[in-house]
Amino acid sequence: HHRSIHQSTTISCCFIMLLTSSKGALSRQWHSHQSSALRAFSSLKKASTPTGKPEKIQYFKVYRWDPENPMQAPYLSTYPIDLNDCGPMVLDALIKIKDEQDPTLTFRRSCREGICGSCAMNINGSNTLACLSYIDAQAKTSKIYPLPHMYVLKDLVPDMSNFYEQYKSIEPWLQPGKPKEEGQAEFLQTREDRAKLDGMYECILCACCSTACPSYWWNANTYLGPAVLMQAYRWMQDSRDGATAKRLSQVDDPLKLYRCHTIMNCTKVCPKHLNP
């Protein structure tokens, strides 16, 4: 009897010691994570002033929405950035946030030179390319949203499907009126005819102009929008193309074409300084 009591007491003591040690391990683990986070923050803070300059903090408020968490309404996340330790463009700040603060932040980017149009978004109330948009060093905050009035796939990534389908509908490729003659290499045109394409061929299809257009906001399923209409006209103006009559008939529609009310938001926001 005394032996069983002794055994049970021993087991109880061992259990208490195990529980206590487990709590201690958890506590040490939590304090270890906390210390690691503090050290990371301290090192980040030190690294943020490599030249010894005083910190120049700007807060970036970024639109967030995750389709895998549909019960969570869209919200803004705030990220502090020391501008002394960041590139001059908004895209630099977004990359820095993703690399150093929040790897879940999602956005499109590619060329970083204003050529691909991938990083189109709404920055401080205006549609533009993040790679061409300078950070306003005098501002305390910057607000970044996806392109307006489009379905959002995640965070700063809009669904471009409708925009690309509209672009496809105008058949944006050369349709010569006659076949090549024997031995002919290219379809030639004069320099004067080539000059007619200036201000249109430079379009990178970033959709900044179309998503800034109120008419496109309300009629995106029917109105082609400034970017697609400009591309349609680009092929009509091409002296090598022989499908002008067909192209005109395709867009001669009160909803496809005549929803334009010359609001001119498209021209104002075009990052390539075109006049769609």
Side-chain angles (χ1 to χ4, degrees):
H1 176 69
H2 289 292
R3 184 180 299 173
S4 63
I5 292 176
H6 177 72
Q7 288 177 343
S8 63
T9 303
T10 303
I11 293 172
S12 298
C13 290
C14 291
F15 179 74
I16 292 171
M17 291 174 62
L18 180 61
L19 183 60
T20 304
S21 63
S22 297
K23 287 183 177 179
L26 288 173
S27 177
R28 286 193 299 274
Q29 187 178 14
W30 183 84
H31 284 293
S32 175
H33 284 308
Q34 187 182 42
S35 300
S36 299
L38 289 172
R39 286 195 300 271
F41 179 78
S42 299
S43 63
L44 177 63
K45 194 172 183 179
K46 291 177 183 177
S48 66
T49 56
T51 60
K53 296 180 180 179
E55 287 185 334
K56 193 173 184 181
I57 301 297
Q58 184 171 135
Y59 295 92
F60 288 81
K61 298 180 179 294
V62 184
Y63 177 97
R64 305 300 306 276
W65 182 73
D66 187 351
E68 295 183 0
N69 189 12
M71 300 305 293
Q72 171 68 58
Y75 61 96
L76 292 179
S77 282
T78 302
Y79 304 97
I81 293 289
D82 183 2
L83 300 187
N84 292 327
D85 189 34
C86 182
M89 302 300 182
V90 171
L91 183 60
D92 294 319
L94 290 173
I95 294 173
K96 188 175 181 65
I97 290 169
K98 187 173 181 68
D99 286 348
E100 300 179 5
Q101 298 188 40
D102 189 350
T104 67
L105 179 62
T106 305
F107 54 91
R108 290 189 179 112
R109 68 179 179 93
S110 183
C111 73
R112 295 178 64 125
E113 296 180 351
I115 299 299
C116 69
S118 300
C119 63
M121 55 190 71
N122 186 279
I123 300 173
N124 293 323
S126 181
N127 293 352
T128 187
L129 300 179
C131 65
L132 296 184
S133 178
Y134 283 96
I135 299 172
D136 183 359
Q138 305 305 316
K140 293 183 178 180
T141 62
S142 290
K143 292 185 177 181
I144 306 174
Y145 292 84
L147 290 175
H149 291 267
M150 299 186 81
Y151 291 107
V152 175
L153 299 178
K154 185 179 181 182
D155 295 343
L156 300 176
V157 179
D159 185 353
M160 302 285 283
S161 301
N162 182 62
F163 179 79
Y164 290 141
E165 283 298 320
Q166 290 175 322
Y167 180 58
K168 179 181 177 181
S169 72
I170 65 168
E171 301 179 6
W173 54 83
L174 187 67
Q175 300 180 37
K178 57 182 180 180
K180 288 184 177 180
E181 298 177 0
E182 185 177 353
Q184 180 181 354
E186 301 91 2
F187 289 101
L188 303 178
Q189 62 183 167
T190 65
R191 294 187 178 185
E192 291 75 18
D193 285 336
R194 166 60 186 80
K196 294 178 182 178
L197 306 181
D198 290 343
M200 296 185 288
Y201 81 89
E202 302 95 330
C203 175
I204 57 176
L205 297 172
C206 64
C208 282
C209 62
S210 292
T211 54
C213 173
S215 292
Y216 192 76
W217 296 347
W218 314 135
N219 306 280
N221 59 330
T222 52
Y223 176 48
L224 293 179
V228 174
L229 287 175
M230 184 175 72
Q231 288 302 303
Y233 185 60
R234 173 253 181 276
W235 291 105
M236 294 176 194
Q237 283 291 92
D238 197 321
S239 61
R240 301 165 298 174
D241 192 81
T244 301
K246 184 183 77 169
R247 296 184 188 279
L248 282 171
S249 65
Q250 286 176 339
V251 299
D252 186 13
D253 180 275
L255 294 176
K256 286 184 179 180
L257 174 62
Y258 296 105
R259 294 298 93 192
C260 175
H261 299 300
T262 60
I263 299 170
M264 307 306 291
N265 280 3
C266 52
T267 301
K268 181 180 179 181
V269 303
C270 178
K272 305 300 286 185
H273 308 293
L274 307 180
N275 185 16

